[in-house]
Amino acid sequence: MIEGADPGYDWIFLHGISGLITKYGGANSHMSIRCSELGIAAAIGCGVEKYDELINFNFVEIDSISKSVKGIL
């Protein structure tokens, strides 16, 4: 989870991430496109309220099929 990401954050993909959640951004953002290219689940630009809720969980599940994100303690 990072608030926002630009092309300068490409290094994050070298660390074997299984998903990416950002507070800001959109479907056409660089990180959204990179996640799509690499087959990484992502919730890009989930908004302030949802991001601030999720940051408090130990684990977060991104369900690409139902297009949902939920926190898991």
Side-chain angles (χ1 to χ4, degrees):
M1 291 184 67
I2 51 179
E3 286 198 16
D6 56 41
Y9 281 83
D10 266 358
W11 57 267
I12 201 165
F13 298 111
L14 300 174
H15 295 275
I17 64 170
S18 57
L20 178 64
I21 298 171
T22 67
K23 186 185 289 189
Y24 306 108
N28 293 324
S29 71
H30 177 74
M31 290 310 226
S32 180
I33 293 166
R34 293 290 288 140
C35 285
S36 179
E37 290 173 344
L38 298 170
I40 296 172
I44 306 295
C46 68
V48 174
E49 188 175 310
K50 187 67 170 179
Y51 184 91
D52 289 347
E53 170 194 328
L54 295 172
I55 200 77
N56 295 312
F57 288 92
N58 294 325
F59 298 94
V60 177
E61 177 182 86
I62 302 171
D63 185 338
S64 300
I65 295 171
S66 69
K67 297 182 180 181
S68 66
V69 182
K70 68 178 180 180
I72 303 168
L73 291 176

